[in-house]
Amino acid sequence: YQRRVRGLSTMRSLTIASLVLIFITSFVLSAPASAWRSRTIYQVLTDRFARTDGSTSQCGNLGNYCGGTFQGIINHLDYIIGMGFDAIWISPVVINTPGGYHGYWAKDITGINPNFGTATDLKNLVNACHQKGVWVMVDVVANHMGNVGFDYSGLVPFNQASHFHNCASCPPGCNIQNWNDQQQVEICRLAGLPDLNQTNSYVGSTLLSWIHNLINTYGFDGMRVDTVPEVAKSFWTQFQSSSGVFGIGEVFNGDVGYVASYQGPLNALLSYPMYFTLRSVFQSKQSMYQIQNEVNSYKAFSDTSVLGTFIDNHDNPRFLNGQGDIQLYKNALTYVLMSQGIPIIYYGTEQGFSGGDDPYCREALWPTNYNTNSQLYGFVKTLVNFRKSANIASQPQVQRYADDNFYAFTRGTVFVATTNVGSGQPQVVRTITYHPYADGTKLCNLFFSTDCIVVQGGKFNVYLVNGESKVFHPV
């Protein structure tokens, strides 16, 4: 923005009023955190979503490039939009060291990864998304560069030893070993990756200019920030400001207080504490009181409405890898898409992908032929579209019932019921007395419109058959 205004100010024909208008407009066009609340994000691993040529052969080595491109995403945008998604999160876009198909091993932050396409292809992707009402969130890394050992000569622009933290205060091998030692977390290496020293004036200022230019050059609407605890909070405050867009950070930790401490430096965080809770409750069938406790603990966050809620991502084995019961998965997805926060659905969820540890949770999507008739594609589509039409994001989440095997809440007049008993189990029946409905209100199930109940005597019964979830709304 500053660069644009400086250029315009040299044009003497522009009045002060014109400059003020440009100033205001530039901020209107940037999506603030509040504008992201109503969005639903589909996470794309760029290399695994779609090839330019449309070929659908399997990828022989998930540990290297499989051929996905920016143009491939453009070609299949309607597949994403068909589920109702209005935002995508794409992989880091910069040039990587060999094997960096995921984007997290930067070699040259000034260029675009040629395996994904050209700078023009990337601009075309963002433009194509915007034309269809889809916002684009770019993944960015400011903690480290690609794995080059201690020979930095091939990295751009950080090619001097002084640009990186030295290993004097680190364990042998220079890698982080004690995640409870914050100094070690911030100055030592993550899995051998050279750790940038943001207190070096050149490194710090270059990263701030880089994120500003990246966002403005391509027109991104938001950023997902990698490896947040590995960098001092004071830098993230500057980074967030320089970006000019909504930022959501990765703090891969289950401690609510620790994760929440990074909201402020960044607009929002991925909801990792709730992720671990949801995995425990729905994947391992542990007590659903855990959700109640976690929701209460989330008061530590300054704004829970912009946290990124998820059940799968590229860094963990997929839900269905550890728990093959589709009904339990549907319950987890119901919670993610109906609860507080910005829902993030990982590509392949809609096709029932069940890959294990990285890289096996990063399957190629194209062998599915982008099947829009799969059971989970339809399920996700129903929930995403209802979330929008019912304006769920604007309504508070209020717990209505909790026990070991049943958890229910409302968002406004929408009643959400989930269970962790799984398929093939006896019917779950609960009587709801704490609710917002007047007697005579008829509530019908989003998934089966003829499945309706009527509030009588200040209460109503919820019946969950075969471990299903239900979303009731007044009719």
Side-chain angles (χ1 to χ4, degrees), residues 344-367:
I344 302 173
I345 300 298
Y346 186 41
Y347 86 98
T349 293
E350 71 282 0
Q351 301 297 343
F353 279 8
S354 59
D357 284 315
D358 160 21
Y360 302 105
C361 58
R362 302 171 176 181
E363 308 95 316
L365 184 63
W366 46 80

mmCIF file with all atom_site columns, all heavy atoms in Angstrom, residues 344-367:
data_model
loop_
_atom_site.group_PDB
_atom_site.id
_atom_site.type_symbol
_atom_site.label_atom_id
_atom_site.label_alt_id
_atom_site.label_comp_id
_atom_site.label_asym_id
_atom_site.label_entity_id
_atom_site.label_seq_id
_atom_site.pdbx_PDB_ins_code
_atom_site.Cartn_x
_atom_site.Cartn_y
_atom_site.Cartn_z
_atom_site.occupancy
_atom_site.B_iso_or_equiv
_atom_site.pdbx_formal_charge
_atom_site.auth_seq_id
_atom_site.auth_comp_id
_atom_site.auth_asym_id
_atom_site.auth_atom_id
_atom_site.pdbx_PDB_model_num
ATOM 1   N N   . ILE A 1 344 ? -12.202 -25.484 8.626   1.00 0.00 ? 344 ILE A N   1
ATOM 2   C CA  . ILE A 1 344 ? -11.224 -25.799 7.587   1.00 0.00 ? 344 ILE A CA  1
ATOM 3   C C   . ILE A 1 344 ? -11.343 -27.285 7.281   1.00 0.00 ? 344 ILE A C   1
ATOM 4   O O   . ILE A 1 344 ? -11.147 -28.128 8.163   1.00 0.00 ? 344 ILE A O   1
ATOM 5   C CB  . ILE A 1 344 ? -9.789  -25.473 8.039   1.00 0.00 ? 344 ILE A CB  1
ATOM 6   C CG1 . ILE A 1 344 ? -9.662  -23.993 8.433   1.00 0.00 ? 344 ILE A CG1 1
ATOM 7   C CG2 . ILE A 1 344 ? -8.787  -25.818 6.935   1.00 0.00 ? 344 ILE A CG2 1
ATOM 8   C CD1 . ILE A 1 344 ? -8.316  -23.628 9.058   1.00 0.00 ? 344 ILE A CD1 1
ATOM 9   N N   . ILE A 1 345 ? -11.672 -27.602 6.046   1.00 0.00 ? 345 ILE A N   1
ATOM 10  C CA  . ILE A 1 345 ? -11.809 -28.995 5.622   1.00 0.00 ? 345 ILE A CA  1
ATOM 11  C C   . ILE A 1 345 ? -10.651 -29.334 4.685   1.00 0.00 ? 345 ILE A C   1
ATOM 12  O O   . ILE A 1 345 ? -10.423 -28.651 3.680   1.00 0.00 ? 345 ILE A O   1
ATOM 13  C CB  . ILE A 1 345 ? -13.158 -29.236 4.910   1.00 0.00 ? 345 ILE A CB  1
ATOM 14  C CG1 . ILE A 1 345 ? -14.323 -28.909 5.860   1.00 0.00 ? 345 ILE A CG1 1
ATOM 15  C CG2 . ILE A 1 345 ? -13.246 -30.681 4.409   1.00 0.00 ? 345 ILE A CG2 1
ATOM 16  C CD1 . ILE A 1 345 ? -14.399 -29.767 7.107   1.00 0.00 ? 345 ILE A CD1 1
ATOM 17  N N   . TYR A 1 346 ? -9.923  -30.371 5.024   1.00 0.00 ? 346 TYR A N   1
ATOM 18  C CA  . TYR A 1 346 ? -8.741  -30.795 4.274   1.00 0.00 ? 346 TYR A CA  1
ATOM 19  C C   . TYR A 1 346 ? -9.165  -31.556 3.025   1.00 0.00 ? 346 TYR A C   1
ATOM 20  O O   . TYR A 1 346 ? -10.043 -32.432 3.091   1.00 0.00 ? 346 TYR A O   1
ATOM 21  C CB  . TYR A 1 346 ? -7.888  -31.669 5.184   1.00 0.00 ? 346 TYR A CB  1
ATOM 22  C CG  . TYR A 1 346 ? -6.549  -32.113 4.655   1.00 0.00 ? 346 TYR A CG  1
ATOM 23  C CD1 . TYR A 1 346 ? -5.714  -31.257 3.944   1.00 0.00 ? 346 TYR A CD1 1
ATOM 24  C CD2 . TYR A 1 346 ? -6.091  -33.405 4.906   1.00 0.00 ? 346 TYR A CD2 1
ATOM 25  C CE1 . TYR A 1 346 ? -4.476  -31.671 3.485   1.00 0.00 ? 346 TYR A CE1 1
ATOM 26  C CE2 . TYR A 1 346 ? -4.845  -33.832 4.468   1.00 0.00 ? 346 TYR A CE2 1
ATOM 27  C CZ  . TYR A 1 346 ? -4.046  -32.962 3.749   1.00 0.00 ? 346 TYR A CZ  1
ATOM 28  O OH  . TYR A 1 346 ? -2.804  -33.380 3.307   1.00 0.00 ? 346 TYR A OH  1
ATOM 29  N N   . TYR A 1 347 ? -8.541  -31.217 1.889   1.00 0.00 ? 347 TYR A N   1
ATOM 30  C CA  . TYR A 1 347 ? -8.899  -31.877 0.627   1.00 0.00 ? 347 TYR A CA  1
ATOM 31  C C   . TYR A 1 347 ? -8.848  -33.403 0.815   1.00 0.00 ? 347 TYR A C   1
ATOM 32  O O   . TYR A 1 347 ? -8.003  -33.935 1.544   1.00 0.00 ? 347 TYR A O   1
ATOM 33  C CB  . TYR A 1 347 ? -7.944  -31.445 -0.496  1.00 0.00 ? 347 TYR A CB  1
ATOM 34  C CG  . TYR A 1 347 ? -6.677  -32.274 -0.545  1.00 0.00 ? 347 TYR A CG  1
ATOM 35  C CD1 . TYR A 1 347 ? -6.541  -33.336 -1.443  1.00 0.00 ? 347 TYR A CD1 1
ATOM 36  C CD2 . TYR A 1 347 ? -5.631  -32.040 0.346   1.00 0.00 ? 347 TYR A CD2 1
ATOM 37  C CE1 . TYR A 1 347 ? -5.395  -34.121 -1.463  1.00 0.00 ? 347 TYR A CE1 1
ATOM 38  C CE2 . TYR A 1 347 ? -4.485  -32.819 0.334   1.00 0.00 ? 347 TYR A CE2 1
ATOM 39  C CZ  . TYR A 1 347 ? -4.373  -33.856 -0.573  1.00 0.00 ? 347 TYR A CZ  1
ATOM 40  O OH  . TYR A 1 347 ? -3.241  -34.645 -0.575  1.00 0.00 ? 347 TYR A OH  1
ATOM 41  N N   . GLY A 1 348 ? -9.729  -34.112 0.142   1.00 0.00 ? 348 GLY A N   1
ATOM 42  C CA  . GLY A 1 348 ? -9.773  -35.568 0.257   1.00 0.00 ? 348 GLY A CA  1
ATOM 43  C C   . GLY A 1 348 ? -10.719 -36.059 1.334   1.00 0.00 ? 348 GLY A C   1
ATOM 44  O O   . GLY A 1 348 ? -11.121 -37.228 1.322   1.00 0.00 ? 348 GLY A O   1
ATOM 45  N N   . THR A 1 349 ? -11.083 -35.178 2.265   1.00 0.00 ? 349 THR A N   1
ATOM 46  C CA  . THR A 1 349 ? -12.086 -35.526 3.280   1.00 0.00 ? 349 THR A CA  1
ATOM 47  C C   . THR A 1 349 ? -13.345 -36.026 2.600   1.00 0.00 ? 349 THR A C   1
ATOM 48  O O   . THR A 1 349 ? -13.927 -37.042 2.986   1.00 0.00 ? 349 THR A O   1
ATOM 49  C CB  . THR A 1 349 ? -12.418 -34.282 4.149   1.00 0.00 ? 349 THR A CB  1
ATOM 50  O OG1 . THR A 1 349 ? -11.268 -33.935 4.924   1.00 0.00 ? 349 THR A OG1 1
ATOM 51  C CG2 . THR A 1 349 ? -13.602 -34.542 5.057   1.00 0.00 ? 349 THR A CG2 1
ATOM 52  N N   . GLU A 1 350 ? -13.750 -35.295 1.560   1.00 0.00 ? 350 GLU A N   1
ATOM 53  C CA  . GLU A 1 350 ? -15.003 -35.581 0.866   1.00 0.00 ? 350 GLU A CA  1
ATOM 54  C C   . GLU A 1 350 ? -14.961 -36.883 0.067   1.00 0.00 ? 350 GLU A C   1
ATOM 55  O O   . GLU A 1 350 ? -15.990 -37.366 -0.394  1.00 0.00 ? 350 GLU A O   1
ATOM 56  C CB  . GLU A 1 350 ? -15.358 -34.399 -0.061  1.00 0.00 ? 350 GLU A CB  1
ATOM 57  C CG  . GLU A 1 350 ? -14.470 -34.251 -1.283  1.00 0.00 ? 350 GLU A CG  1
ATOM 58  C CD  . GLU A 1 350 ? -13.102 -33.618 -1.024  1.00 0.00 ? 350 GLU A CD  1
ATOM 59  O OE1 . GLU A 1 350 ? -12.806 -33.269 0.140   1.00 0.00 ? 350 GLU A OE1 1
ATOM 60  O OE2 . GLU A 1 350 ? -12.337 -33.464 -2.001  1.00 0.00 ? 350 GLU A OE2 1
ATOM 61  N N   . GLN A 1 351 ? -13.754 -37.457 -0.058  1.00 0.00 ? 351 GLN A N   1
ATOM 62  C CA  . GLN A 1 351 ? -13.610 -38.746 -0.747  1.00 0.00 ? 351 GLN A CA  1
ATOM 63  C C   . GLN A 1 351 ? -13.244 -39.864 0.220   1.00 0.00 ? 351 GLN A C   1
ATOM 64  O O   . GLN A 1 351 ? -12.929 -40.977 -0.198  1.00 0.00 ? 351 GLN A O   1
ATOM 65  C CB  . GLN A 1 351 ? -12.557 -38.643 -1.853  1.00 0.00 ? 351 GLN A CB  1
ATOM 66  C CG  . GLN A 1 351 ? -12.864 -37.601 -2.917  1.00 0.00 ? 351 GLN A CG  1
ATOM 67  C CD  . GLN A 1 351 ? -14.134 -37.891 -3.698  1.00 0.00 ? 351 GLN A CD  1
ATOM 68  O OE1 . GLN A 1 351 ? -14.657 -39.005 -3.697  1.00 0.00 ? 351 GLN A OE1 1
ATOM 69  N NE2 . GLN A 1 351 ? -14.663 -36.875 -4.394  1.00 0.00 ? 351 GLN A NE2 1
ATOM 70  N N   . GLY A 1 352 ? -13.265 -39.572 1.500   1.00 0.00 ? 352 GLY A N   1
ATOM 71  C CA  . GLY A 1 352 ? -12.989 -40.598 2.506   1.00 0.00 ? 352 GLY A CA  1
ATOM 72  C C   . GLY A 1 352 ? -11.541 -41.038 2.560   1.00 0.00 ? 352 GLY A C   1
ATOM 73  O O   . GLY A 1 352 ? -11.252 -42.188 2.894   1.00 0.00 ? 352 GLY A O   1
ATOM 74  N N   . PHE A 1 353 ? -10.615 -40.147 2.266   1.00 0.00 ? 353 PHE A N   1
ATOM 75  C CA  . PHE A 1 353 ? -9.194  -40.498 2.315   1.00 0.00 ? 353 PHE A CA  1
ATOM 76  C C   . PHE A 1 353 ? -8.802  -40.931 3.727   1.00 0.00 ? 353 PHE A C   1
ATOM 77  O O   . PHE A 1 353 ? -9.298  -40.379 4.720   1.00 0.00 ? 353 PHE A O   1
ATOM 78  C CB  . PHE A 1 353 ? -8.339  -39.320 1.870   1.00 0.00 ? 353 PHE A CB  1
ATOM 79  C CG  . PHE A 1 353 ? -8.240  -39.154 0.366   1.00 0.00 ? 353 PHE A CG  1
ATOM 80  C CD1 . PHE A 1 353 ? -9.017  -39.909 -0.494  1.00 0.00 ? 353 PHE A CD1 1
ATOM 81  C CD2 . PHE A 1 353 ? -7.366  -38.230 -0.186  1.00 0.00 ? 353 PHE A CD2 1
ATOM 82  C CE1 . PHE A 1 353 ? -8.926  -39.761 -1.871  1.00 0.00 ? 353 PHE A CE1 1
ATOM 83  C CE2 . PHE A 1 353 ? -7.266  -38.070 -1.560  1.00 0.00 ? 353 PHE A CE2 1
ATOM 84  C CZ  . PHE A 1 353 ? -8.048  -38.834 -2.405  1.00 0.00 ? 353 PHE A CZ  1
ATOM 85  N N   . SER A 1 354 ? -7.873  -41.876 3.811   1.00 0.00 ? 354 SER A N   1
ATOM 86  C CA  . SER A 1 354 ? -7.511  -42.445 5.110   1.00 0.00 ? 354 SER A CA  1
ATOM 87  C C   . SER A 1 354 ? -6.004  -42.648 5.256   1.00 0.00 ? 354 SER A C   1
ATOM 88  O O   . SER A 1 354 ? -5.555  -43.570 5.940   1.00 0.00 ? 354 SER A O   1
ATOM 89  C CB  . SER A 1 354 ? -8.237  -43.778 5.312   1.00 0.00 ? 354 SER A CB  1
ATOM 90  O OG  . SER A 1 354 ? -7.893  -44.701 4.266   1.00 0.00 ? 354 SER A OG  1
ATOM 91  N N   . GLY A 1 355 ? -5.203  -41.773 4.634   1.00 0.00 ? 355 GLY A N   1
ATOM 92  C CA  . GLY A 1 355 ? -3.754  -41.913 4.688   1.00 0.00 ? 355 GLY A CA  1
ATOM 93  C C   . GLY A 1 355 ? -3.189  -41.745 6.086   1.00 0.00 ? 355 GLY A C   1
ATOM 94  O O   . GLY A 1 355 ? -3.766  -41.083 6.944   1.00 0.00 ? 355 GLY A O   1
ATOM 95  N N   . GLY A 1 356 ? -2.017  -42.346 6.308   1.00 0.00 ? 356 GLY A N   1
ATOM 96  C CA  . GLY A 1 356 ? -1.366  -42.315 7.613   1.00 0.00 ? 356 GLY A CA  1
ATOM 97  C C   . GLY A 1 356 ? -0.440  -41.125 7.767   1.00 0.00 ? 356 GLY A C   1
ATOM 98  O O   . GLY A 1 356 ? -0.709  -40.021 7.288   1.00 0.00 ? 356 GLY A O   1
ATOM 99  N N   . ASP A 1 357 ? 0.678   -41.350 8.428   1.00 0.00 ? 357 ASP A N   1
ATOM 100 C CA  . ASP A 1 357 ? 1.640   -40.273 8.665   1.00 0.00 ? 357 ASP A CA  1
ATOM 101 C C   . ASP A 1 357 ? 2.135   -39.670 7.348   1.00 0.00 ? 357 ASP A C   1
ATOM 102 O O   . ASP A 1 357 ? 2.171   -40.336 6.320   1.00 0.00 ? 357 ASP A O   1
ATOM 103 C CB  . ASP A 1 357 ? 2.839   -40.806 9.460   1.00 0.00 ? 357 ASP A CB  1
ATOM 104 C CG  . ASP A 1 357 ? 2.516   -41.001 10.938  1.00 0.00 ? 357 ASP A CG  1
ATOM 105 O OD1 . ASP A 1 357 ? 1.900   -40.108 11.525  1.00 0.00 ? 357 ASP A OD1 1
ATOM 106 O OD2 . ASP A 1 357 ? 2.873   -42.060 11.478  1.00 0.00 ? 357 ASP A OD2 1
ATOM 107 N N   . ASP A 1 358 ? 2.533   -38.395 7.433   1.00 0.00 ? 358 ASP A N   1
ATOM 108 C CA  . ASP A 1 358 ? 3.192   -37.700 6.326   1.00 0.00 ? 358 ASP A CA  1
ATOM 109 C C   . ASP A 1 358 ? 4.270   -38.608 5.728   1.00 0.00 ? 358 ASP A C   1
ATOM 110 O O   . ASP A 1 358 ? 5.088   -39.141 6.465   1.00 0.00 ? 358 ASP A O   1
ATOM 111 C CB  . ASP A 1 358 ? 3.782   -36.406 6.923   1.00 0.00 ? 358 ASP A CB  1
ATOM 112 C CG  . ASP A 1 358 ? 4.893   -35.774 6.107   1.00 0.00 ? 358 ASP A CG  1
ATOM 113 O OD1 . ASP A 1 358 ? 4.983   -36.050 4.911   1.00 0.00 ? 358 ASP A OD1 1
ATOM 114 O OD2 . ASP A 1 358 ? 5.662   -34.994 6.696   1.00 0.00 ? 358 ASP A OD2 1
ATOM 115 N N   . PRO A 1 359 ? 4.282   -38.831 4.406   1.00 0.00 ? 359 PRO A N   1
ATOM 116 C CA  . PRO A 1 359 ? 3.491   -38.157 3.363   1.00 0.00 ? 359 PRO A CA  1
ATOM 117 C C   . PRO A 1 359 ? 2.203   -38.867 2.963   1.00 0.00 ? 359 PRO A C   1
ATOM 118 O O   . PRO A 1 359 ? 1.548   -38.457 2.010   1.00 0.00 ? 359 PRO A O   1
ATOM 119 C CB  . PRO A 1 359 ? 4.470   -38.159 2.184   1.00 0.00 ? 359 PRO A CB  1
ATOM 120 C CG  . PRO A 1 359 ? 5.161   -39.484 2.301   1.00 0.00 ? 359 PRO A CG  1
ATOM 121 C CD  . PRO A 1 359 ? 5.330   -39.697 3.804   1.00 0.00 ? 359 PRO A CD  1
ATOM 122 N N   . TYR A 1 360 ? 1.849   -39.938 3.686   1.00 0.00 ? 360 TYR A N   1
ATOM 123 C CA  . TYR A 1 360 ? 0.719   -40.752 3.237   1.00 0.00 ? 360 TYR A CA  1
ATOM 124 C C   . TYR A 1 360 ? -0.635  -40.087 3.474   1.00 0.00 ? 360 TYR A C   1
ATOM 125 O O   . TYR A 1 360 ? -1.652  -40.537 2.918   1.00 0.00 ? 360 TYR A O   1
ATOM 126 C CB  . TYR A 1 360 ? 0.791   -42.128 3.894   1.00 0.00 ? 360 TYR A CB  1
ATOM 127 C CG  . TYR A 1 360 ? 2.087   -42.822 3.564   1.00 0.00 ? 360 TYR A CG  1
ATOM 128 C CD1 . TYR A 1 360 ? 3.106   -42.929 4.509   1.00 0.00 ? 360 TYR A CD1 1
ATOM 129 C CD2 . TYR A 1 360 ? 2.320   -43.305 2.276   1.00 0.00 ? 360 TYR A CD2 1
ATOM 130 C CE1 . TYR A 1 360 ? 4.326   -43.518 4.184   1.00 0.00 ? 360 TYR A CE1 1
ATOM 131 C CE2 . TYR A 1 360 ? 3.537   -43.901 1.942   1.00 0.00 ? 360 TYR A CE2 1
ATOM 132 C CZ  . TYR A 1 360 ? 4.531   -43.997 2.902   1.00 0.00 ? 360 TYR A CZ  1
ATOM 133 O OH  . TYR A 1 360 ? 5.752   -44.581 2.579   1.00 0.00 ? 360 TYR A OH  1
ATOM 134 N N   . CYS A 1 361 ? -0.650  -39.017 4.272   1.00 0.00 ? 361 CYS A N   1
ATOM 135 C CA  . CYS A 1 361 ? -1.878  -38.231 4.441   1.00 0.00 ? 361 CYS A CA  1
ATOM 136 C C   . CYS A 1 361 ? -1.959  -37.139 3.382   1.00 0.00 ? 361 CYS A C   1
ATOM 137 O O   . CYS A 1 361 ? -2.818  -36.253 3.451   1.00 0.00 ? 361 CYS A O   1
ATOM 138 C CB  . CYS A 1 361 ? -1.918  -37.609 5.835   1.00 0.00 ? 361 CYS A CB  1
ATOM 139 S SG  . CYS A 1 361 ? -0.501  -36.553 6.212   1.00 0.00 ? 361 CYS A SG  1
ATOM 140 N N   . ARG A 1 362 ? -1.074  -37.214 2.394   1.00 0.00 ? 362 ARG A N   1
ATOM 141 C CA  . ARG A 1 362 ? -1.013  -36.204 1.335   1.00 0.00 ? 362 ARG A CA  1
ATOM 142 C C   . ARG A 1 362 ? -1.247  -36.863 -0.034  1.00 0.00 ? 362 ARG A C   1
ATOM 143 O O   . ARG A 1 362 ? -0.483  -36.701 -0.973  1.00 0.00 ? 362 ARG A O   1
ATOM 144 C CB  . ARG A 1 362 ? 0.334   -35.484 1.384   1.00 0.00 ? 362 ARG A CB  1
ATOM 145 C CG  . ARG A 1 362 ? 0.603   -34.819 2.722   1.00 0.00 ? 362 ARG A CG  1
ATOM 146 C CD  . ARG A 1 362 ? 2.013   -34.296 2.855   1.00 0.00 ? 362 ARG A CD  1
ATOM 147 N NE  . ARG A 1 362 ? 2.211   -33.584 4.131   1.00 0.00 ? 362 ARG A NE  1
ATOM 148 C CZ  . ARG A 1 362 ? 3.340   -32.998 4.509   1.00 0.00 ? 362 ARG A CZ  1
ATOM 149 N NH1 . ARG A 1 362 ? 4.404   -33.040 3.708   1.00 0.00 ? 362 ARG A NH1 1
ATOM 150 N NH2 . ARG A 1 362 ? 3.433   -32.382 5.678   1.00 0.00 ? 362 ARG A NH2 1
ATOM 151 N N   . GLU A 1 363 ? -2.326  -37.604 -0.112  1.00 0.00 ? 363 GLU A N   1
ATOM 152 C CA  . GLU A 1 363 ? -2.632  -38.377 -1.309  1.00 0.00 ? 363 GLU A CA  1
ATOM 153 C C   . GLU A 1 363 ? -2.982  -37.478 -2.488  1.00 0.00 ? 363 GLU A C   1
ATOM 154 O O   . GLU A 1 363 ? -3.445  -36.355 -2.324  1.00 0.00 ? 363 GLU A O   1
ATOM 155 C CB  . GLU A 1 363 ? -3.837  -39.303 -1.043  1.00 0.00 ? 363 GLU A CB  1
ATOM 156 C CG  . GLU A 1 363 ? -3.722  -40.171 0.194   1.00 0.00 ? 363 GLU A CG  1
ATOM 157 C CD  . GLU A 1 363 ? -4.388  -39.574 1.432   1.00 0.00 ? 363 GLU A CD  1
ATOM 158 O OE1 . GLU A 1 363 ? -4.209  -38.352 1.679   1.00 0.00 ? 363 GLU A OE1 1
ATOM 159 O OE2 . GLU A 1 363 ? -5.070  -40.327 2.145   1.00 0.00 ? 363 GLU A OE2 1
ATOM 160 N N   . ALA A 1 364 ? -2.795  -38.011 -3.691  1.00 0.00 ? 364 ALA A N   1
ATOM 161 C CA  . ALA A 1 364 ? -3.253  -37.309 -4.893  1.00 0.00 ? 364 ALA A CA  1
ATOM 162 C C   . ALA A 1 364 ? -4.769  -37.455 -4.978  1.00 0.00 ? 364 ALA A C   1
ATOM 163 O O   . ALA A 1 364 ? -5.321  -38.531 -4.747  1.00 0.00 ? 364 ALA A O   1
ATOM 164 C CB  . ALA A 1 364 ? -2.595  -37.898 -6.123  1.00 0.00 ? 364 ALA A CB  1
ATOM 165 N N   . LEU A 1 365 ? -5.438  -36.367 -5.320  1.00 0.00 ? 365 LEU A N   1
ATOM 166 C CA  . LEU A 1 365 ? -6.901  -36.389 -5.391  1.00 0.00 ? 365 LEU A CA  1
ATOM 167 C C   . LEU A 1 365 ? -7.405  -36.888 -6.741  1.00 0.00 ? 365 LEU A C   1
ATOM 168 O O   . LEU A 1 365 ? -8.501  -37.457 -6.832  1.00 0.00 ? 365 LEU A O   1
ATOM 169 C CB  . LEU A 1 365 ? -7.449  -34.982 -5.124  1.00 0.00 ? 365 LEU A CB  1
ATOM 170 C CG  . LEU A 1 365 ? -8.966  -34.832 -5.061  1.00 0.00 ? 365 LEU A CG  1
ATOM 171 C CD1 . LEU A 1 365 ? -9.548  -35.638 -3.907  1.00 0.00 ? 365 LEU A CD1 1
ATOM 172 C CD2 . LEU A 1 365 ? -9.368  -33.361 -4.935  1.00 0.00 ? 365 LEU A CD2 1
ATOM 173 N N   . TRP A 1 366 ? -6.612  -36.709 -7.801  1.00 0.00 ? 366 TRP A N   1
ATOM 174 C CA  . TRP A 1 366 ? -7.123  -36.966 -9.155  1.00 0.00 ? 366 TRP A CA  1
ATOM 175 C C   . TRP A 1 366 ? -7.570  -38.391 -9.444  1.00 0.00 ? 366 TRP A C   1
ATOM 176 O O   . TRP A 1 366 ? -8.465  -38.574 -10.277 1.00 0.00 ? 366 TRP A O   1
ATOM 177 C CB  . TRP A 1 366 ? -6.127  -36.481 -10.204 1.00 0.00 ? 366 TRP A CB  1
ATOM 178 C CG  . TRP A 1 366 ? -4.691  -36.846 -9.972  1.00 0.00 ? 366 TRP A CG  1
ATOM 179 C CD1 . TRP A 1 366 ? -4.090  -38.033 -10.244 1.00 0.00 ? 366 TRP A CD1 1
ATOM 180 C CD2 . TRP A 1 366 ? -3.666  -35.994 -9.437  1.00 0.00 ? 366 TRP A CD2 1
ATOM 181 N NE1 . TRP A 1 366 ? -2.757  -37.990 -9.910  1.00 0.00 ? 366 TRP A NE1 1
ATOM 182 C CE2 . TRP A 1 366 ? -2.468  -36.744 -9.418  1.00 0.00 ? 366 TRP A CE2 1
ATOM 183 C CE3 . TRP A 1 366 ? -3.644  -34.678 -8.977  1.00 0.00 ? 366 TRP A CE3 1
ATOM 184 C CZ2 . TRP A 1 366 ? -1.265  -36.227 -8.955  1.00 0.00 ? 366 TRP A CZ2 1
ATOM 185 C CZ3 . TRP A 1 366 ? -2.450  -34.155 -8.515  1.00 0.00 ? 366 TRP A CZ3 1
ATOM 186 C CH2 . TRP A 1 366 ? -1.276  -34.921 -8.508  1.00 0.00 ? 366 TRP A CH2 1
ATOM 187 N N   . PRO A 1 367 ? -7.028  -39.445 -8.767  1.00 0.00 ? 367 PRO A N   1
ATOM 188 C CA  . PRO A 1 367 ? -7.556  -40.785 -9.080  1.00 0.00 ? 367 PRO A CA  1
ATOM 189 C C   . PRO A 1 367 ? -9.039  -40.952 -8.727  1.00 0.00 ? 367 PRO A C   1
ATOM 190 O O   . PRO A 1 367 ? -9.680  -41.901 -9.198  1.00 0.00 ? 367 PRO A O   1
ATOM 191 C CB  . PRO A 1 367 ? -6.680  -41.702 -8.223  1.00 0.00 ? 367 PRO A CB  1
ATOM 192 C CG  . PRO A 1 367 ? -5.381  -40.966 -8.095  1.00 0.00 ? 367 PRO A CG  1
ATOM 193 C CD  . PRO A 1 367 ? -5.803  -39.533 -7.945  1.00 0.00 ? 367 PRO A CD  1
#
